[in-house]
Amino acid sequence: MSKKTKIWLVTAFSLTLIGCIIFAGVMTLLKWDFTKLSTEKLETNNYEISGNYKDISITTDTADVTFEICNETKTSVKCFEPKNIKHLVSVKDGTLMIKVIDNRKWYEYIGIFSGSPKITVYIPQGEYGALKLCGSTGDVKIPKNLKFENIDISQSTGNVTNFASATKSINIKTSTGDILTQNIFANSLKLSVSTGKITAYNISGSDTFEFNVSTGKTQITDIKCKNLISSGNTGNITMKNVIATEKFSVKRTTGKVRFENCDASEIFMETDTGNVIGSLLSDKVFITNTDTGNINVPKTTIGGKCEITTDTGDIKITVN
């Protein structure tokens, strides 16, 4: 190694060491509170809603969205938001609209950001029309004691927790995040995640329920519907006390299918490398196929049809 190279290495190491010492000193003075390094300041803005509305439309970017039941007769909205990224709150044509307004210049995107923007909607208990919510990064929480005609939620990154019913349909979609919904009614239901987990408890409806994942687990319990459809690439699905008056259709590439005390008139299940294990409530005519796995099903000749196909998995079914 040349003398010049050694000098450069010693200089670089010394500058790095000095930088670490300065950083440690500054953070010690700040008591290691990284939020104090933020170049983005957040403030609270309150909005009182005076107009009448039926529907709710929310479009945001990085804010968490939470609904809370209030004892007042009027709705109010509290936004904890950056000074240069406001939310416009208004009532227009019978719709409560909350929309992010980002007027930042390009150079304002550069900086240190900390803290989590949040939108809290204080809403009276009751029934409403359509709820449409579109966000990028943030969690969504909707409490019980609210009912809508339709719920349509689309998030890129964030968890969605919903305890509100819908007289018509519920459609919740996230890219990266979990979905939890329970103790509700929905005529039709569609829950979709790319990377995340779907958990659904105690839900009833008269039409089709869909649970779709790319990579993630699906756990559904105490479900009653007309048809149940579930697709996924990687991830197990667990079903308990799930009843469909017409059909089950479950497909997995890599993942196990487990069900307990479930039933439908027609059942179609397909996996590539996962086992199919479970118990049904009524007799079926079983049509099963596996390339390298074992098959253990009752020899019944009456009832509906149960067709199961897997490449390398085992098939084991019992009838209670």
Side-chain angles (χ1 to χ4, degrees):
M1 184 182 297
S2 66
K3 183 177 180 180
K4 185 176 181 181
T5 302
K6 292 181 179 179
I7 293 174
W8 277 110
L9 290 175
V10 171
T11 302
F13 175 79
S14 300
L15 292 174
T16 302
L17 181 61
I18 292 172
C20 292
I21 293 173
I22 294 173
F23 175 78
V26 172
M27 292 308 301
T28 300
L29 291 175
L30 297 177
K31 298 181 179 180
W32 293 92
D33 185 355
F34 285 90
T35 62
K36 293 181 179 180
L37 296 176
S38 177
T39 58
E40 179 187 58
K41 302 301 181 182
L42 300 178
E43 63 182 15
T44 300
N45 295 302
N46 295 296
Y47 305 88
E48 297 291 336
I49 307 303
S50 57
N52 295 323
Y53 67 91
K54 180 181 179 182
D55 302 328
I56 301 174
S57 175
I58 301 176
T59 303
T60 186
D61 191 5
T62 60
D64 297 335
V65 179
T66 302
F67 286 79
E68 292 190 9
I69 303 296
C70 67
N71 295 325
E72 306 294 331
T73 58
K74 291 185 177 181
T75 301
S76 63
V77 179
K78 181 170 71 173
C79 296
F80 184 59
E81 57 195 355
K83 291 184 177 181
N84 54 356
I85 311 177
K86 303 290 187 181
H87 286 85
L88 178 64
V89 181
S90 62
V91 174
K92 183 178 180 180
D93 299 329
T95 299
L96 171 59
M97 303 183 68
I98 304 173
K99 183 177 181 180
V100 64
I101 305 297
D102 190 349
N103 293 321
R104 288 179 294 175
K105 305 296 183 181
W106 67 268
Y107 52 82
E108 293 180 291
Y109 287 86
I110 302 173
I112 300 175
F113 305 98
S114 64
S116 179
K118 185 175 181 179
I119 299 172
T120 305
V121 181
Y122 297 94
I123 187 170
Q125 177 179 334
E127 299 185 10
Y128 298 86
L131 169 61
K132 185 174 180 61
L133 194 156
C134 182
S136 178
T137 303
D139 296 336
V140 177
K141 296 180 181 179
I142 306 175
K144 62 180 181 179
N145 299 327
L146 286 179
K147 182 182 289 185
F148 298 89
E149 289 182 2
N150 299 288
I151 297 176
D152 190 349
I153 300 174
S154 178
Q155 290 287 104
S156 293
T157 303
N159 301 325
V160 178
T161 303
N162 175 60
F163 300 134
S165 296
T167 56
K168 293 182 180 179
S169 65
I170 295 178
N171 186 358
I172 302 175
K173 181 179 180 181
T174 69
S175 292
T176 303
D178 299 336
I179 297 176
L180 167 64
T181 184
Q182 65 182 36
N183 301 328
I184 66 170
F185 170 88
N187 188 39
S188 65
L189 175 70
K190 185 174 182 179
L191 308 180
S192 302
V193 301
S194 293
T195 303
K197 179 181 179 180
I198 293 178
T199 306
Y201 292 100
N202 190 26
I203 305 176
S204 61
S206 58
D207 208 332
T208 299
F209 284 8
E210 292 189 42
F211 305 92
N212 302 315
V213 301
S214 180
T215 303
K217 297 180 180 180
T218 302
Q219 183 174 348
I220 53 179
T221 305
D222 297 331
I223 304 293
K224 294 182 180 180
C225 59
K226 183 178 181 180
N227 297 295
L228 186 141
I229 300 172
S230 180
S231 64
N233 290 327
T234 304
N236 301 335
I237 178 171
T238 302
M239 305 162 56
K240 184 177 181 180
N241 301 329
V242 178
I243 308 295
T245 57
E246 291 189 1
K247 182 178 70 175
F248 282 168
S249 177
V250 179
K251 293 183 179 181
R252 287 293 185 276
T253 301
T254 303
K256 298 177 181 179
V257 177
R258 296 179 178 272
F259 52 95
E260 178 183 349
N261 296 330
C262 298
D263 214 350
S265 296
E266 293 186 343
I267 298 173
F268 301 91
M269 296 185 178
E270 180 180 346
T271 71
D272 285 346
T273 61
N275 299 331
V276 179
I277 300 173
S279 61
L280 299 173
L281 298 178
S282 63
D283 291 340
K284 296 287 183 292
V285 176
F286 291 94
I287 303 171
T288 58
N289 180 59
T290 180
D291 289 340
T292 61
N294 299 317
I295 298 176
N296 184 356
V297 298
K299 296 181 179 180
T300 52
T301 58
I302 59 174
K305 180 171 69 173
C306 180
E307 183 173 338
I308 302 175
T309 303
T310 179
D311 288 340
T312 62
D314 296 335
I315 300 173
K316 184 178 181 180
I317 308 297
T318 60
V319 176
N320 293 338

